[in-house]
Amino acid sequence: MTTKIIFSTVALLFGVATFAQQSTFDILEKDYEISRKAKKGYLGGVEPSGNGGFEMVYFLPSSKRKVKIETYTFDKDANLVNTLKDEWEVEKVKKKWKFFNFKGDEYITTAASVSTNLTGKMMFKKREIKAKYNWLAGDYVKRIKLLDKQKLTSENGEEYLFSGAYEVERDSTIYALAYPYTKGASLNNLDLVKISNSGESKKIASIATPTPLKPIFSKPLMDDNSRDVSNDDFPRDWIVVLAPTKAYGKSNAGNPNQLTYLRISPEGAVKEQFNFSAPSAGFRILNAYNKGNEVILYGLGIKKEGKYADEILGATVSPSSMDDEEQAAAKSTGGMLGGIGKMANMVSGKDDMAASQQSLDNALDEKKYDDFIIAKVSGGNISLIKPKFRNRKKRVF
């Protein structure tokens, strides 16, 4: 295995902006052999060094306390000038490279999750996570087994209707938005619920909703560090956008374009809450991006007068606190007999039947959109920009 240096693109590929801005050069490609140990690890980053040179840093299979590192230093002409082998304390590596998430070669832990049953009622489930570190990928491969389950109820014993969830792995906590539900319930207030790893739920806030709402977007904020630092290691604020719905059989469903924006901290504090009018009821929000003091919501729109978001788009938010990777690991089967066993577990409720976010996004990608919508949130207000594009059968981002 060789390290291939394509000199003019290295800085762009790995985001070394300062290096790229300071240097102008021609296309230059060179191959270098890396050590046998480095081949078993992964390239952690490319960093600028003095006089227009750069370093390529490899992380090698290591112990739980110390990380083996090999650094290859190149001059401005992509000539290899030095190779350094070193061993750092894990905490020192994490401090310098925030993306480094190594917690040992293997670990087993028990965590919680919430999802819905077939009737939309919220369920709490314990899950066992077995994780093994893949040094070639620089991440963990997980196997998930769902264990005991129970219904989640309010302090008054009412069942909950799921309206979005956010897992803060760092604190072994799940936050959920849910309507306390009994037959004929008014659905005038959403509960913000904090759920512990043992399944205890505690209402920490009440959010007034004059008409029944369902989530059309529920994700942690993205920022400039999202690629390198995962939300599990550094939780961001949770952004939820809710839209009116007729799904609960209420006669007064409200204005289809009147949406509700919520920003909730990883500690469960409601930092922002306001209503705004969207240009399209079928507003498919792709992401929320934090830039300075502003949040940028961007996505696609479908205009259908008098129709509600869930009538236009269908389901847009996965009814589970587990991410796509964990849901896939929990649903993996082993051959025909494994599939039969998995089906039995799904019917009995031991396994998660919730649709993943990826499967919902795949279905949404097939729809025909009229608008591309950008919304800027600042100081409790929202301003909308609506660049238009010509009709196309499919628009995928």
Side-chain angles (χ1 to χ4, degrees):
M1 177 179 174
T2 57
T3 292
K4 178 167 288 192
I5 307 301
I6 303 177
F7 195 47
S8 67
T9 61
V10 164
L12 294 175
L13 181 59
F14 293 98
V16 187
T18 302
F19 178 56
Q21 291 167 1
Q22 292 176 350
S23 304
T24 302
F25 34 67
D26 299 324
I27 295 292
L28 179 62
E29 181 177 327
K30 294 185 178 182
D31 292 338
Y32 291 98
E33 185 74 21
I34 62 175
S35 73
R36 185 177 299 175
K37 289 184 178 179
K39 293 175 185 177
K40 297 179 180 179
Y42 67 97
L43 178 63
V46 179
E47 301 181 342
S49 59
N51 300 318
F54 61 97
E55 295 179 338
M56 301 183 74
V57 183
Y58 282 84
F59 296 107
L60 283 56
S62 306
S63 68
K64 194 172 184 178
R65 293 189 300 172
K66 290 191 174 182
V67 180
K68 295 177 182 178
I69 297 173
E70 286 190 9
T71 303
Y72 296 80
T73 303
F74 300 85
D75 64 18
K76 62 183 179 63
D77 297 315
N79 296 311
L80 180 64
V81 296
N82 189 40
T83 301
L84 177 65
K85 298 180 181 180
D86 205 353
E87 198 171 38
W88 289 25
E89 297 287 341
V90 168
E91 292 307 314
K92 183 180 177 182
V93 176
K94 288 180 178 179
K95 188 174 182 180
K96 181 173 176 59
W97 293 285
K98 295 186 182 299
F99 63 81
F100 188 72
N101 63 350
F102 183 66
K103 307 176 183 72
D105 274 325
E106 297 184 41
Y107 68 83
I108 299 177
T109 187
T110 302
S113 68
V114 296
S115 60
T116 66
N117 61 16
L118 291 176
T119 63
K121 306 293 177 55
M122 196 155 64
M123 308 291 294
F124 170 86
K125 297 181 181 181
K126 299 284 283 186
R127 70 187 194 273
E128 179 186 79
I129 303 172
K130 294 182 179 180
K132 183 175 178 61
Y133 201 74
N134 183 333
W135 282 98
L136 289 174
D139 206 351
Y140 284 95
V141 177
K142 298 178 181 179
R143 294 179 63 87
I144 312 292
K145 181 181 179 181
L146 295 178
L147 306 173
D148 298 333
K149 67 183 181 71
Q150 66 187 55
K151 287 184 179 179
L152 276 172
T153 60
S154 70
E155 296 169 0
N156 297 326
E158 299 167 305
E159 293 181 306
Y160 273 126
L161 293 175
F162 182 93
S163 292
Y166 176 41
E167 182 174 345
V168 182
E169 183 176 287
R170 178 196 65 185
D171 302 331
S172 297
T173 297
I174 298 172
Y175 294 102
L177 288 165
Y179 280 113
Y181 180 79
T182 53
K183 189 174 182 179
S186 60
L187 306 184
N188 287 331
N189 290 281
L190 273 172
D191 284 357
L192 175 59
V193 184
K194 182 177 182 179
I195 304 162
S196 71
N197 210 26
S198 60
E200 297 174 354
S201 62
K202 179 181 179 182
K203 175 182 170 181
I204 56 176
S206 181
I207 298 169
T209 60
T211 61
L213 304 176
K214 291 186 74 174
I216 59 169
F217 180 80
S218 173
K219 288 183 181 179
L221 266 173
M222 296 182 68
D223 55 34
D224 292 344
N225 297 314
S226 292
R227 187 184 69 173
D228 295 331
V229 185
S230 75
N231 209 68
D232 290 343
D233 296 325
F234 182 75
R236 281 81 168 176
D237 289 348
W238 178 28
I239 302 298
V240 185
V241 179
L242 303 115
T245 178
K246 292 180 176 178
Y248 300 129
K250 301 298 178 182
S251 57
N252 178 24
N255 182 346
N257 291 49
Q258 190 75 9
L259 308 183
T260 298
Y261 173 92
L262 296 172
R263 179 172 179 172
I264 301 169
S265 77
E267 293 72 39
V270 180
K271 297 170 70 172
E272 283 188 284
Q273 175 187 349
F274 61 86
N275 298 330
F276 69 97
S277 182
S280 302
F283 185 10
R284 179 195 172 190
I285 303 171
L286 298 173
N287 274 307
Y289 198 91
N290 189 55
K291 197 71 175 175
N293 295 322
E294 299 175 344
V295 172
I296 307 299
L297 301 177
Y298 60 91
L300 308 169
I302 299 176
K303 286 186 177 180
K304 287 191 177 179
E305 293 297 328
K307 294 290 185 180
Y308 290 82
D310 50 358
E311 293 177 316
I312 300 170
L313 298 173
T316 58
V317 173
S318 174
S320 173
S321 65
M322 289 195 292
D323 61 25
D324 292 333
E325 178 188 353
E326 291 186 334
Q327 283 182 279
K331 292 176 180 178
S332 62
T333 63
M336 184 179 71
L337 294 178
I340 293 173
K342 182 66 63 174
M343 180 63 71
N345 286 340
M346 291 178 71
V347 173
S348 67
K350 290 182 179 179
D351 285 338
D352 199 346
M353 300 178 70
S356 70
Q357 190 61 53
Q358 186 61 58
S359 66
L360 295 178
D361 288 341
N362 289 342
L364 289 165
D365 285 345
E366 298 300 321
K367 293 184 178 293
K368 183 178 178 181
Y369 297 92
D370 308 305
D371 287 328
F372 184 75
I373 303 170
I374 301 173
K376 182 173 70 174
V377 181
S378 179
N381 295 306
I382 192 164
S383 55
L384 296 167
I385 304 171
K386 297 191 302 168
K388 293 183 179 293
F389 57 81
R390 295 175 183 175
N391 284 338
R392 294 179 182 176
K393 291 183 178 180
K394 182 177 178 181
R395 185 84 168 183
V396 182
F397 291 84

